[in-house]
């Protein structure tokens, strides 16, 4: 097991919690589901990100603390972590950082948060000839195992793409879930209107895409061809303009699709962005 990943995940989230005295990550994680069960369960102290309409003013006045009503649906989430893999994930981002490391850090951070909140979480990914599903559990051992499983799967080209994986989720999972999808630009190209419509019937869906390096402007290594791209491609100004135009069009098209189905979306280019992007994504999604 690469304990460097685990120690970095824990350290990054601990530092973030200390930096943000409002503890945005915990508050955002609790309130990320839209709507709620009507079954009242108990009271807990108010945390930033909670809905002010849930404050129990009578109980708060008696205890001297701001208390909010907690509902059964809020006690435990089912978190599905969908990890994209394959050779494309061992390339670099535009910032020159390994996509593999950012993907593992992102998935690990989400798993760590789910475990800290006491939720059941599972990992689904393509692995070689088939799909690999870890089942919904909680606990430190489960958290460490799914991080390792994802880490060791990246770079092994699967037969199925991300769209196939998400179709499987939409057709076979019957529970309400929070679905976090870690992928890249090529991965989201397999996600269409039909698929998002199916996924969002009963679940909340959030995409965390790992940015891709540009073909032009700097030496570019083709991980599939196992060699550097020709110099004339890397230095072509016309190709650079076309590449940026195409990427912008793809990005805007996918954002439009996400807005249509209230799907969360963020992009990560550097390791030091991981926790901030997760927090911003959850905060924005819980407000919409």
């Amino acid at each position: 097991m690469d304990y460097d990943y685990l120690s970095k995940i824990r350290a990054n989230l601990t530092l973030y919690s200390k930096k943000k005295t409002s503890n945005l990550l915990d508050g955002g994680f609790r309130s990320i589901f839209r709507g709620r069960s009507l079954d009242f369960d108990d009271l807990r102290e108010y945390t930033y990100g909670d809905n002010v309409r849930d404050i129990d003013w009578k109980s708060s006045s008696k205890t001297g603390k701001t208390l909010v009503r907690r509902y059964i649906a809020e006690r435990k989430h089912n978190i599905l972590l969908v990890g994209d893999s394959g050779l494309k994930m061992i390339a670099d981002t535009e910032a020159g950082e390994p996509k593999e490391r950012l993907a593992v850090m992102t998935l690990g951070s989400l798993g760590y948060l789910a475990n800290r909140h006491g939720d059941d979480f599972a990992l689904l990914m393509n692995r070689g000839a088939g799909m690999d599903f870890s089942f919904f559990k909680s606990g430190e051992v489960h958290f460490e195992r799914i991080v390792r499983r994802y880490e060791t799967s990246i770079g092994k080209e699967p037969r199925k793409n991300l769209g196939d994986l998400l179709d499987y989720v939409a057709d076979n999972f019957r529970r309400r879930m929070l679905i976090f999808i870690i992928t890249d630009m090529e991965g989201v190209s397999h996600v269409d209107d039909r698929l998002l419509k199916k996924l969002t019937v009963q679940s909340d869906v959030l995409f965390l895409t790992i940015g891709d390096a540009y073909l032009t402007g700097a030496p570019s290594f083709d991980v599939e061809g196992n060699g550097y791209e020709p110099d004339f491609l890397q230095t072509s100004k016309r190709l650079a303009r076309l590449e940026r135009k195409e990427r912008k069009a793809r990005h805007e098209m996918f954002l439009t699709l996400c807005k249509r189905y209230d799907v969360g979306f963020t992009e990560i280019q550097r390791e030091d962005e991981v926790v901030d992007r997760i927090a911003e994504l959850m905060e924005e999604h819980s407000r919409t």
Side-chain angles (χ1 to χ4, degrees):
M1 179 66 184
D2 188 343
Y3 287 96
D4 182 45
Y5 276 126
L6 297 177
S7 60
K8 276 207 168 190
I9 289 165
R10 294 186 179 100
N12 288 348
L13 289 166
T14 300
L15 287 172
Y16 188 95
S17 295
K18 288 180 179 178
K19 181 177 68 173
K20 306 285 186 179
T21 55
S22 58
N23 212 6
L24 176 63
L25 279 171
D26 281 345
F29 211 87
R30 273 195 283 269
S31 61
I32 193 170
F33 263 135
R34 296 194 186 87
R36 53 173 58 80
S37 164
L38 295 178
D39 300 321
F40 171 74
D41 190 31
D42 63 6
L43 297 169
R44 61 168 171 77
E45 195 165 353
Y46 176 86
T47 302
Y48 181 84
D50 291 333
N51 194 322
V52 294
R53 289 178 294 181
D54 290 338
I55 296 175
D56 190 314
W57 296 107
K58 186 175 181 180
S59 299
S60 297
S61 63
K62 288 180 180 178
T63 61
K65 298 179 180 179
T66 304
L67 302 175
V68 295
R69 291 180 289 272
R70 182 158 59 172
Y71 299 83
I72 289 175
E74 189 188 19
R75 287 297 296 271
K76 203 163 194 176
H77 298 334
N78 291 302
I79 311 294
L80 180 62
L81 305 171
V82 180
D84 204 352
S85 59
L87 283 173
K88 60 180 184 167
M89 298 302 286
I90 63 172
D92 289 344
T93 68
E94 184 183 352
E97 297 195 13
K99 289 169 61 177
E100 174 185 7
R101 187 168 189 83
L102 268 64
V104 174
M105 292 292 292
T106 300
L107 182 135
S109 297
L110 291 166
Y112 181 85
L113 283 170
N115 188 53
R116 191 165 74 179
H117 189 240
D119 295 320
D120 287 334
F121 52 99
L123 170 64
L124 176 68
M125 60 185 175
N126 281 318
R127 189 166 184 163
M131 297 180 186
D132 189 321
F133 178 57
S134 69
F135 295 103
F136 288 93
K137 297 179 184 178
S138 59
E140 193 73 15
V141 173
H142 181 55
F143 159 66
E144 293 187 6
R145 280 177 179 166
I146 68 167
V147 174
R148 174 164 175 74
R149 285 171 82 160
Y150 186 48
E151 176 193 359
T152 56
S153 294
I154 292 177
K156 299 175 177 64
E157 195 64 24
R159 293 184 183 177
K160 297 181 181 294
N161 60 45
L162 181 68
D164 297 325
L165 203 60
L166 295 179
D167 258 323
Y168 178 82
V169 173
D171 293 339
N172 294 279
F173 287 71
R174 294 292 176 262
R175 65 180 76 193
R176 189 183 184 196
M177 301 178 293
L178 270 170
I179 305 174
F180 289 97
I181 302 163
I182 296 93
T183 185
D184 62 0
M185 185 174 64
E186 194 274 334
V188 299
S189 70
H190 298 286
V191 179
D192 56 19
D193 187 281
R194 172 199 60 83
L195 184 51
L196 282 189
K197 186 176 182 179
K198 287 170 62 177
L199 284 172
T200 54
V201 168
Q202 64 178 2
S203 295
D204 284 28
V205 179
L206 300 99
F207 281 85
L208 300 101
T209 63
I210 309 301
D212 289 271
Y214 280 89
L215 171 66
T216 56
S220 180
F221 189 83
D222 181 0
V223 295
E224 292 184 347
N226 196 31
Y228 283 94
E229 296 290 352
D231 289 341
F232 76 90
L233 291 178
Q234 298 171 26
T235 58
S236 170
K237 292 182 179 179
R238 182 172 180 272
L239 182 60
R241 287 194 300 270
L242 290 173
E243 183 181 19
R244 291 185 182 279
K245 183 179 179 180
E246 171 66 18
R247 283 204 184 188
K248 183 180 179 182
R250 282 194 191 186
H251 184 78
E252 290 176 352
M253 187 181 300
F254 188 66
L255 276 181
T256 300
L257 194 60
C258 288
K259 288 177 181 177
R260 185 178 303 157
Y261 293 102
D262 290 327
V263 168
F265 172 80
T266 193
E267 186 175 77
I268 301 169
Q269 294 281 358
R270 301 191 308 272
E271 187 178 319
D272 60 11
E273 293 178 343
V274 170
V275 182
D276 279 321
R277 291 290 181 268
I278 291 173
E280 291 164 5
L281 178 66
M282 293 193 297
E283 182 183 25
E284 181 180 350
H285 189 69
S286 63
R287 286 200 310 259
T288 56

